[in-house]
Amino acid sequence: MLEVDGDLCGSFSYAYLTAAGYTVGVERFSAMSTTDFIPVAGPWITKREVDYAADAAKTAWNKDHYAYNAKFERALASYVGVDFAVSLPHCTSAIHLSLAAMGIGPGDEVIAPDVTWIASVAPIIYVGAEPVFADIDPTTWCVDPDSVEACITPKTKAIIGVDLYGSMADWPRLRSLADKHGLYLIEDAAEAIGSQLDGAAAGSFGDTGVFSFHGSKTVVTGEGGMLATNSEDIYARVMKLRDHGRPPGDRFFLNDEVAFKYKMSALQAAIGLAQMERIDELIARKKEIYRWYAERLKDFDSVRINAESKGVSNSFWMVTVIMDPAHGLNKFDLMAHLREDNIDSRPFFSQLSTIPAFADRPEARRFLPPEPAGSAMAEYGVNLPSGYDTTEEHVERVVASLKRAIL
Ligand SMILES: *Cc1c(COP(=O)(O)O)cnc(C)c1O
């Protein structure tokens, strides 16, 4: 049987598949049998990514060490419609630098959704500030502006909204809350490149917008991130903070503050540039995978999947089901069932207010309602296989397994 690993391209399989006339990526799994393991995520890598990375290994040194990064940054800035973009080692560093550039620190509070990946919130603690959790909206799965408003105190300095699984938060309302109270707005678009709200791109709504190119995400560089902004001041501050506090143009190593070292390598940027040149086909494929699921689940009342609210174009990073609690299966039960059918999945993110990492911060949950809307999603939600290798046959198998689990 043909073994294909989850990394960029196992050299054997790449050579084999190229020789056999396959495009490395989606088509490669068509050679596999119907009971093979279905991975939950995975990139779409073509010859373009491989060629650019090889070229970067040869050419991206000395005066050209940043050439691929500059092109990747320009491609992303133009796609998102912002003035500045900075390539970084990961999205976590983009959130960290956002908060640091905004001058947020000890004594400050930052509001963030209770249900998201921990990376949205951990940087609040890196800068010495306190996270405050707001509930999420049961339809969009993103932070609920009413709940955000209830969390605002004189100590609040910023709001972090997250475009969860490609859905879009209510940015117009978050913006008006931020403006009314003089707060910064950070848009965590790690999962939402390619989504839009009222025609504007995910990542363009905050004072900063941040992206992840982790290998599981919609656009990949292996590990990687980007910070996007229209603010020249924030951009200048980020550029200094991410380079050990060197003043712009410093050639004498006369740093005037202690800061961070957060840069993306040219090899990663080369892969990212190739991905951005293919972004339309990447997003189209994500939407197609979603449609395969949506068609098969539309008459199936006992599960809900990702919604597209009014004005939203969702790029569907992960197709996600939320089970009706009446089935008595929580997310871990459903994952175990899928696993028996050789189908990988992931749990919906936990309520951060309930996980051990935040157990010693009871103030962070002081404004959450007694029965948060996020708890049902966090308990009954499962991410289904949504990687670029997902085929329509895989979706058939996943849906059949899902129906067997709950019928
Ligand atoms: C993946 C992710 C991040 C972190 O991205 P890294 O590149 O792994 O640092 C942040 N926020 C959300 C919502 C994510 O899904």
Side-chain angles (χ1 to χ4, degrees):
M1 193 198 72
L2 183 59
E3 284 286 339
V4 180
D5 62 41
D7 294 330
L8 284 187
C9 328
S11 53
F12 162 75
S13 51
Y14 179 58
Y16 175 94
L17 289 162
T18 309
Y22 288 101
T23 307
V24 176
V26 173
E27 288 84 352
R28 66 191 185 183
F29 275 89
S30 57
M32 303 178 84
S33 84
T34 52
T35 52
D36 286 315
F37 180 73
I38 305 178
V40 73
W44 185 359
I45 297 299
T46 64
K47 187 168 178 299
R48 185 187 299 248
E49 284 80 359
V50 175
D51 287 351
Y52 285 14
D55 185 62
K58 284 184 221 138
T59 66
W61 305 105
N62 298 316
K63 74 176 180 16
D64 291 326
H65 84 282
Y66 205 68
Y68 270 106
N69 299 69
K71 285 186 191 167
F72 181 31
E73 290 166 351
R74 273 199 300 278
L76 184 124
S78 114
Y79 182 71
V80 174
V82 294
D83 293 338
F84 307 102
V86 186
S87 53
L88 297 167
H90 29 67
C91 181
T92 304
S93 52
I95 302 171
H96 187 186
L97 287 170
S98 297
L99 294 164
M102 292 164 184
I104 291 166
D108 297 335
E109 291 180 350
V110 178
I111 300 167
D114 183 30
V115 181
T116 179
W117 175 228
I118 193 171
S120 307
V121 171
I124 301 169
I125 292 162
Y126 302 169
V127 299
E130 290 296 331
V132 176
F133 297 127
D135 200 6
I136 60 172
D137 178 284
T139 309
T140 65
W141 305 350
C142 300
V143 76
D144 175 353
D146 289 331
S147 186
V148 168
E149 190 164 21
C151 293
I152 296 173
T153 75
K155 291 181 173 177
T156 308
K157 289 284 156 36
I159 301 165
I160 300 177
V162 181
D163 298 323
L164 208 70
Y165 302 124
S167 183
M168 293 295 291
D170 185 348
W171 290 105
R173 278 205 58 206
L174 293 175
R175 170 52 72 195
S176 71
L177 282 175
D179 289 350
K180 184 170 159 204
H181 297 273
L183 311 175
Y184 284 109
L185 202 52
I186 297 172
E187 181 179 6
D188 181 347
E191 304 178 356
I193 195 165
S195 293
Q196 294 183 341
L197 172 63
D198 298 331
S204 68
F205 291 92
D207 297 297
T208 64
V210 298
F211 296 92
S212 173
F213 310 118
H214 176 262
S216 65
K217 298 277 163 72
T218 298
V219 165
V220 302
T221 60
E223 296 283 356
M226 193 86 80
L227 182 151
T229 184
N230 282 315
S231 161
E232 197 163 355
D233 290 345
I234 290 177
Y235 173 71
R237 190 73 190 126
V238 164
M239 291 303 278
K240 189 174 178 203
L241 287 173
R242 68 89 164 251
D243 193 17
H244 281 310
R246 288 173 77 176
D250 166 58
R251 290 169 50 232
F252 305 110
F253 303 149
L254 296 171
N255 312 43
D256 58 14
E257 64 184 308
V258 173
F260 314 105
K261 175 65 194 290
Y262 280 152
K263 290 193 179 182
M264 171 185 273
S265 80
L267 278 85
Q268 293 163 294
I271 295 171
L273 175 64
Q275 292 262 287
M276 287 309 295
E277 289 175 357
R278 298 178 48 239
I279 184 83
D280 291 341
E281 110 180 309
L282 292 174
I283 301 303
R285 177 56 60 105
K286 282 286 186 191
K287 292 186 177 200
E288 184 174 34
I289 293 168
Y290 173 81
R291 276 198 308 276
W292 291 335
Y293 280 107
E295 281 163 14
R296 289 165 177 81
L297 291 170
K298 69 175 186 299
D299 299 322
F300 200 42
D301 294 336
S302 50
V303 301
R304 287 192 292 133
I305 59 171
N306 321 53
E308 250 180 340
S309 328
K310 196 167 163 293
V312 171
S313 172
N314 191 327
S315 61
F316 299 116
W317 171 50
M318 287 289 234
V319 180
T320 299
V321 284
I322 304 196
M323 316 269 293
D324 189 328
H327 295 298
L329 290 175
N330 69 23
K331 62 184 175 186
F332 300 123
D333 299 329
L334 180 61
M335 288 175 66
H337 173 92
L338 292 168
R339 189 76 199 193
E340 276 169 25
D341 286 336
N342 229 0
I343 297 165
D344 200 13
S345 61
R346 289 289 178 279
F348 207 99
F349 296 120
S350 299
Q351 283 181 271
L352 296 177
S353 59
T354 68
I355 66 173
F358 297 97
D360 59 350
R361 293 177 187 274
E363 344 66 72
R365 46 183 177 269
R366 70 192 189 277
F367 298 116
L368 278 177
E371 306 221 345
S375 72
M377 284 163 266
E379 196 170 347
Y380 296 103
V382 173
N383 311 131
L384 301 177
S386 310
Y388 289 101
D389 292 320
T390 308
T391 64
E392 197 163 6
E393 290 69 38
H394 288 156
V395 172
E396 287 280 354
R397 265 180 61 197
V398 175
V399 170
S401 176
L402 198 63
K403 290 187 174 176
R404 273 198 303 278
I406 64 182
L407 288 182

